[in-house]
Amino acid sequence: MGRSQAIGRGRDPRFGPEADDAGCPILHVDMDAFFASVEIRRRPELRGKAVVVGGAGPRGVVSSASYEARRYGVRSAMPGMRARALCPHAVFLPPDFAAYSAASDAVMRIFRDVTPLVEPLSLDEAFLDVAGAQRLLGRPAAIAAAIRRRVFEEQRLTCSVGVAATKFVAKLGSTRAKPDGMMVVPAGQVLDFLHPLPVDALWGVGEKAAAQLHRLGLSTVGDLARAPLSMLRGALGEASAAHLHELSWGRDPRRVVAEQEEKSIGAEMTYDTDVTDPAAIRRSLLALADKTGARLRAGGNVGRTISIKIRFADFRTVSRSRTMQTTTDVAREIFEISWALFQALGPAEPIRLVGVRVEGLAAAATASRQLTLGEPERGWREAEAAADAVAARFGRSIVGPASLLGRTDLRRTENHPHSTVVPLSDPPTPS
């Protein structure tokens, strides 16, 4: 059971948008079906339809599903084959993480217009501490409403917001408010909100822990709160018992921590069937380098260390890396080093997964770059920047390396009326 199902979506007037928000400076903002919503935004004809992002192939996993698809039981992290069985009429789309990253950046800028205390948890959710913004912008619930309005007006996306005194309760509030809603949990009514919830609404209670608690007769958060600590320790261990006991009484001392610098950017892909063909792996590395370069440029980052990750059929995983003298955000350069690392590794066993990652990040605006001998002043970087401009208008799936043309397993183009593939960074065919 997913956490949103565990918490439920019922509306209680005690916790509505007009509830008492005194002493509730913490907001948790969660975008609604984010990846699917970004896809629908640029494909309006899909509005109102069941849309699933990801899940292609027998090993594919669902990244996001529209609420129309969720009505059939489709959920993120679900195997794609299961999603297709539940909702065979859904529109399945390949993920476009560059587009999601760009949309996330725009949304996070709205948050930072309100307060510098923004703690992103992922591309589509963040905590905000608005205590310092109340004098200028009003009470927390009014700030939350303004954020929701701006996100919709400026990005044509919806979000749900929880308003509470602590991070934990604010996150539960946003989940219960979904989709496209807001919930205020008054500081004086936290236990009224928490205690009727099922125990698996608590952070740290997965399926295994929930089963152990149910065996003890503890089915709600209130049951757990009233249980002797010694009982919880016996079932969960010292650390988990103390953690869950505190949460069950609404105690969460964690502060909102402003965004930490991203340390690396990369992408991975899992094959439908294990692969041994070097040419197929080369195409995969090229597609991943293209995606990684786009994400770097979208975030205004460059990196110095390039690494690859290889997972074999027996799930054994190895990685190799190389640190350059200068930084880069160019997919061509990322690919060339990734391919060289793979060739040096020389694996002969079937491969299940490959990944490309750039580390040692710095801001592109402040990083210096020295041309190598004989390198033209304008070249791959400018070509890829032009591709970014095309992708920003029409989507990432219509532009990329020519050697991926027709490779629907790596870059699907048939879903866009203006689809084409532009030769950007084709390396020589391996000998």
Side-chain angles (χ1 to χ4, degrees):
M1 177 184 293
R3 195 163 301 280
S4 60
Q5 298 118 291
I7 296 172
R9 297 183 178 84
R11 307 293 191 190
D12 188 326
R14 294 177 299 168
F15 309 112
E18 301 304 319
D20 181 12
D21 60 2
C24 295
I26 308 300
L27 311 185
H28 180 259
V29 187
D30 197 355
M31 304 302 296
D32 297 322
F34 184 53
F35 294 178
S37 296
V38 172
E39 296 292 352
I40 293 168
R41 181 179 66 176
R42 65 185 181 186
R43 297 176 173 87
E45 69 275 12
L46 296 180
R47 194 169 303 280
K49 296 183 179 180
V51 175
V52 178
V53 176
R59 290 179 178 171
V61 176
V62 173
S63 296
S64 178
S66 68
Y67 287 94
E68 290 79 7
R70 295 184 191 193
R71 295 191 187 108
Y72 291 85
V74 179
R75 298 287 182 267
S76 60
M78 172 181 286
M81 294 184 68
R82 173 64 174 160
R84 288 181 184 275
L86 290 171
C87 192
H89 64 279
V91 178
F92 284 76
L93 300 173
D96 184 347
F97 290 105
Y100 311 147
S101 179
S104 175
D105 289 344
V107 169
M108 295 295 170
R109 282 195 294 271
I110 293 174
F111 299 166
R112 294 188 187 95
D113 284 347
V114 172
T115 174
L117 294 177
V118 177
E119 181 182 347
L121 300 182
S122 61
L123 288 177
D124 62 343
E125 62 176 318
F127 286 114
L128 287 70
D129 185 335
V130 299
Q134 293 184 57
R135 184 173 180 181
L136 180 64
L137 302 177
R139 63 190 183 89
I143 295 173
I147 288 172
R148 294 183 62 235
R149 185 167 55 251
R150 277 194 64 186
V151 168
F152 181 75
E153 291 175 351
E154 297 178 20
Q155 296 300 316
R156 311 309 296 174
L157 299 169
T158 65
C159 61
S160 300
V161 185
V163 182
T166 65
K167 293 169 75 172
F168 167 59
V169 177
K171 184 169 173 63
L172 289 181
S174 69
T175 302
R176 198 171 186 188
K178 282 185 168 292
D180 192 18
M182 182 172 77
M183 175 169 284
V184 177
V185 182
Q189 294 183 281
V190 168
L191 299 185
D192 293 336
F193 172 74
L194 277 179
H195 283 186
L197 298 178
V199 288
D200 45 359
L202 293 174
W203 284 349
V205 178
E207 291 185 10
K208 184 176 179 180
Q212 290 176 312
L213 293 171
H214 289 154
R215 282 195 292 270
L216 295 175
L218 308 178
S219 59
T220 68
V221 175
D223 293 338
L224 188 148
R226 291 183 288 269
L229 262 175
S230 57
M231 176 191 294
L232 299 180
R233 291 190 193 104
L236 305 171
E238 181 72 37
S240 292
H243 170 70
L244 295 178
H245 178 76
E246 290 296 293
L247 291 183
S248 71
W249 287 103
R251 294 191 283 263
D252 179 11
R254 295 170 306 149
R255 298 175 178 270
V256 173
V257 179
E259 180 179 18
Q260 302 294 314
E261 287 189 14
E262 195 164 14
K263 296 182 179 179
S264 67
I265 288 176
E268 299 177 353
M269 66 169 63
T270 300
Y271 294 110
D272 293 342
T273 57
D274 300 331
V275 173
T276 57
D277 180 11
I281 296 166
R282 170 186 169 275
R283 286 191 295 267
S284 300
L285 292 174
L286 176 57
L288 294 171
D290 184 54
K291 182 180 294 185
T292 300
R295 289 189 61 195
L296 284 165
R297 295 188 297 274
N301 294 304
V302 290
R304 189 178 298 274
T305 299
I306 296 170
S307 65
I308 63 168
K309 174 171 141 181
I310 305 295
R311 179 168 295 151
F312 298 105
D314 60 2
F315 286 86
R316 184 168 49 88
T317 303
V318 298
S319 61
R320 296 291 185 271
S321 65
R322 180 182 299 173
T323 299
M324 304 178 295
Q325 292 183 342
T326 62
T327 58
T328 188
D329 59 3
V330 179
R332 166 82 175 210
E333 297 173 358
I334 296 168
F335 168 77
E336 288 176 343
I337 293 178
S338 299
W339 179 242
L341 289 169
F342 177 81
Q343 289 182 305
L345 185 61
E349 305 157 69
I351 291 173
R352 176 185 178 89
L353 173 149
V354 293
V356 171
R357 185 158 294 276
V358 176
E359 303 166 340
L361 301 187
T366 59
S368 61
R369 172 178 166 80
Q370 182 177 352
L371 294 176
T372 58
L373 184 63
E375 180 182 357
E377 292 186 7
R378 301 181 66 82
W380 292 114
R381 174 172 283 99
E382 287 70 27
E384 293 179 15
D388 292 339
V390 175
R393 183 174 180 184
F394 297 112
R396 197 82 210 170
S397 62
I398 71 164
V399 60
S403 62
L404 301 184
L405 181 63
R407 298 293 301 178
T408 55
D409 55 326
L410 300 178
R411 180 180 297 277
R412 292 185 55 186
T413 64
E414 67 274 21
N415 291 319
H416 197 284
H418 305 295
S419 294
T420 186
V421 177
V422 178
L424 291 179
S425 54
D426 281 3
T429 302
S431 56

